Amino acid sequence: MTAPTLSWNDDAPHSDAFGDVYFSREDGRSETEHVFLAANHLPQRFAEWQAPRAFVIGETGFGTGLNMLCAWACFERHAPPGARLHLLSTEKFPLGHTALARALSAWPSLASYSQALCALWPDPVSGVHRLHLSERVTLDLHFGDTTERLEALQGQVDAWFLDGFAPSKNPEMWQPELFAAMAARSRPGATFATFTCAGIVKRGLKAAGFAWQKVPGFGRKREMLAGSIATPPVDNRRQRTPWFTPPPTLRSQHIVVIGAGMAGSSVAAALARRGRQVTVLEREQPGAGGSGNRQGALYVKLAVETNLQSRFYLAGLLYSQRWLGRLAAARPQQPPLWQPCGVVQLALSEKEASRQQRFMAHHPLPETLVAASEAPDALAGVPTAAAQGLFYPQAGWVQPKRLCEQLLQHPGITLHHGEATALHPTPAGWQITLANGDTLAADQVVIATASLANHFAQTAELPLQQVRGQVSELPLPEGTAAPQRVVCAGGYVSPPLEGVLTFGASFVPNDATTHTADADHQRNIDELRQALP
């Protein structure tokens, strides 16, 4: 995406393209608190919030993030301990990291909030970037055109910050389609506030179903607008895909997750973060199956021509990098479970070299995300068999078993050892029968047992295919040169951990065996020799 061209007055940015300021040079924070927090009655609403779901604030125009950080600070001051806040904001011209940090340095009182934001600030890639700012506060950044982003949004907003450059400076944004999208993504009774009283805004809000009134503005602005929408339009988009629509009443205070591998432990942590009580049922130990490898590589292989699948993979890579970094930072005294050393993808054939060249031509992505390299040896730290490759600086490797164990260290999660053999629906939810005859009760059940997920009557028709994958480990003799980054070609190899090199992996569809096979080890060694002679 395109970064804005800025001029600076001390640490206050000014948009050269729109000829407008990002925040008031008089007192930007006081203006935000008057226009957006007070006019939406947020201190009172936060203090009274008792719903199990998060309170949702939507914003048109993230800018420097001042409005969102002030809302976060207000939430921390007023909300009860169990409450959660979900922020979402659109931005077509995201600031670079340096510009963002400089702008927010103008508010020392928000330093702890701005530092958390800057630490997670994503690359300027269009789409949705989810940032977990704290245990209770999540920010979704929707990079792209505001109206397009809101029209695609799945969710409903409780309070709107109708911001952005003034209608006279940026008339393209303040169009009827924007107000219609806001209305369609509002909860009944959702409020809004905006600094402007322009006629195009008043007419657009009214046409979309919002009731507005003029209220005192901030500083030299005599008036501003605030209001609400009583009955938003009905969202019928899911009628075409009803299988995505949850039941209207979903009791889910206690959830049993079957399986404590990567899938089970991560979904358990996500549910616990949302205030649910979770029991994780595991027949062996966390990370016992495929999640028990010494190292796992985090990387992505994108299609030559961009498509929805590749966009999903890319979003997953960026989210995982932030997620793992935050988990690692939460336990600084522990050995790192995540190493963002970067990943080198080698082009070992002319066909792959051509594919990589075409990929780079079709994907104008920042070099902080992916870059072409004609010196893969220097990147890898050892001689390779390729003359070119792609480098993903934000990828790396993780210790899956330790990750599973850390995810389960949440006060809302209980680990229960046992094997589920049957699920029985009850009027109150579900009863899980264990192999030893015991039972567990739950409002909802999550099955996260990989290829064994269809071993229940309710899931027997799932067309799952078992694929055998064997990873190899070799102790390196002292002084042996070893890769400094994850290297991928036909297989992959990680930098050594505690003197052991981990590489692989075999890929054998329709094979459920779990014993180690010499033939698979030899295949892994042959792949390693081909890539790193």
Side-chain angles (χ1 to χ4, degrees):
M1 301 193 71
T2 305
T5 304
L6 304 174
S7 301
W8 294 86
N9 181 356
D10 294 327
D11 290 323
H14 178 277
S15 169
D16 293 346
F18 293 100
D20 204 355
V21 296
Y22 277 82
F23 48 72
S24 167
R25 291 192 179 94
E26 296 174 359
D27 192 342
R29 181 173 183 180
S30 295
E31 181 179 38
T32 289
E33 291 175 343
H34 176 88
V35 173
F36 297 113
L37 306 190
N40 275 298
H41 313 293
L42 292 187
Q44 304 95 300
R45 294 168 78 181
F46 287 159
E48 297 168 358
W49 190 252
Q50 297 294 330
R53 66 172 179 87
F55 187 96
V56 182
I57 297 175
E59 180 185 42
T60 60
F62 185 79
T64 65
L66 178 61
N67 297 338
M68 295 280 95
L69 297 188
C70 288
W72 179 12
C74 178
F75 176 81
E76 295 287 0
R77 285 196 304 271
H78 297 284
R84 292 181 296 115
L85 176 64
H86 198 119
L87 308 166
L88 69 91
S89 183
T90 64
E91 181 54 60
K92 193 173 183 179
F93 303 99
L95 271 66
H97 185 276
T98 301
L100 180 75
R102 179 179 176 181
L104 291 175
S105 69
W107 318 109
S109 59
L110 292 173
S112 61
Y113 301 99
S114 58
Q115 287 167 7
L117 172 65
C118 290
L120 297 171
W121 188 245
D123 286 301
V125 177
S126 62
V128 184
H129 303 267
R130 173 160 292 183
L131 281 59
H132 295 299
L133 297 175
S134 74
E135 180 71 11
R136 300 197 298 157
V137 180
T138 298
L139 167 63
D140 283 351
L141 290 168
H142 294 246
F143 283 174
D145 177 79
T146 293
T147 301
E148 289 180 1
R149 294 287 95 201
L150 293 182
E151 287 175 344
L153 177 67
Q154 300 290 331
Q156 294 176 299
V157 170
D158 295 295
W160 290 98
F161 294 175
L162 185 47
D163 201 3
F165 296 119
S168 60
K169 308 284 187 179
N170 185 22
E172 284 188 15
M173 190 189 87
W174 304 82
Q175 294 296 319
E177 293 80 5
L178 168 65
F179 305 114
M182 287 175 55
R185 306 299 168 255
S186 295
R187 287 190 180 274
T191 61
F192 81 90
T194 182
F195 62 89
T196 181
C197 281
I200 187 175
V201 178
K202 292 185 286 188
R203 292 189 296 273
L205 287 166
K206 182 177 180 182
F210 287 93
W212 56 262
Q213 59 180 337
K214 291 182 179 180
V215 297
F218 177 81
R220 290 176 292 177
K221 294 179 181 178
R222 190 163 55 90
E223 294 175 320
M224 54 172 275
L225 297 179
S228 61
I229 183 167
T231 309
V234 177
D235 186 354
N236 293 318
R237 291 176 297 171
R238 282 303 187 202
Q239 288 183 351
R240 298 190 301 273
T241 54
W243 45 88
F244 286 128
T245 303
T249 54
L250 191 64
R251 289 185 65 248
S252 55
Q253 289 306 112
H254 177 227
I255 301 161
V256 168
V257 177
I258 304 175
M262 283 288 295
S265 58
S266 58
V267 76
L271 291 165
R273 217 176 64 80
R274 288 161 172 79
R276 303 299 191 262
Q277 290 298 311
V278 184
T279 298
V280 176
L281 181 61
E282 169 57 47
R283 66 178 182 178
E284 297 179 45
Q285 58 184 338
S291 301
N293 292 336
R294 178 184 293 267
Q295 290 166 287
L298 172 70
Y299 70 101
V300 61
K301 191 167 184 177
L302 304 177
V304 171
E305 301 280 354
T306 188
N307 56 31
L308 292 176
Q309 188 177 27
S310 280
R311 291 183 65 83
F312 176 73
Y313 290 157
L314 183 59
L317 174 67
L318 297 176
Y319 174 84
S320 298
Q321 192 267 350
R322 291 190 298 271
W323 177 64
L324 291 167
R326 186 167 180 269
L327 286 172
R331 303 181 70 181
Q333 306 305 320
Q334 300 293 323
L337 58 82
W338 154 242
Q339 288 287 355
C341 61
V343 167
V344 184
Q345 286 185 353
L346 302 179
L348 295 182
S349 65
E350 290 186 7
K351 180 180 179 181
E352 178 60 18
S354 173
R355 196 199 80 85
Q356 289 188 0
Q357 291 166 0
R358 287 181 287 125
F359 166 80
M360 290 302 297
H362 295 154
H363 292 76
L365 294 167
E367 289 190 352
T368 51
L369 183 55
V370 60
S373 172
E374 295 182 355
D377 293 15
L379 287 170
V382 291
T384 73
Q388 72 176 60
L390 298 178
F391 180 48
Y392 289 84
Q394 297 187 44
W397 61 266
V398 70
Q399 296 186 65
K401 182 176 175 59
R402 285 194 55 222
L403 177 59
C404 294
E405 292 169 347
Q406 180 166 330
L407 289 169
L408 297 176
Q409 299 300 311
H410 189 287
I413 298 175
T414 301
L415 181 62
H416 188 101
H417 290 280
E419 181 178 1
T421 56
L423 306 176
H424 307 281
T426 70
W430 291 90
Q431 179 178 285
I432 301 99
T433 300
L434 307 187
N436 65 0
D438 292 346
T439 60
L440 292 175
D443 298 318
Q444 303 290 332
V445 177
V446 176
I447 301 171
T449 52
S451 60
L452 303 179
N454 57 6
H455 285 206
F456 299 98
Q458 293 83 358
T459 58
E461 299 302 314
L462 289 177
L464 303 184
Q465 181 189 46
Q466 288 186 285
V467 180
R468 173 185 168 83
Q470 182 172 309
V471 174
S472 301
E473 296 179 355
L474 284 176
L476 283 183
E478 191 172 343
T480 304
Q484 303 301 303
R485 309 182 194 277
V486 176
V487 179
C488 300
Y492 67 91
V493 56
S494 299
L497 174 63
E498 298 171 344
V500 176
L501 197 66
T502 302
F503 56 100
S506 62
F507 186 89
V508 187
N510 296 308
D511 188 336
T513 60
T514 58
H515 63 273
T516 57
D518 290 344
D520 282 8
H521 280 315
Q522 188 60 53
R523 177 251 176 219
N524 290 339
I525 291 171
D526 292 342
E527 287 275 8
L528 181 63
R529 267 202 194 103
Q530 185 179 4
L532 304 181

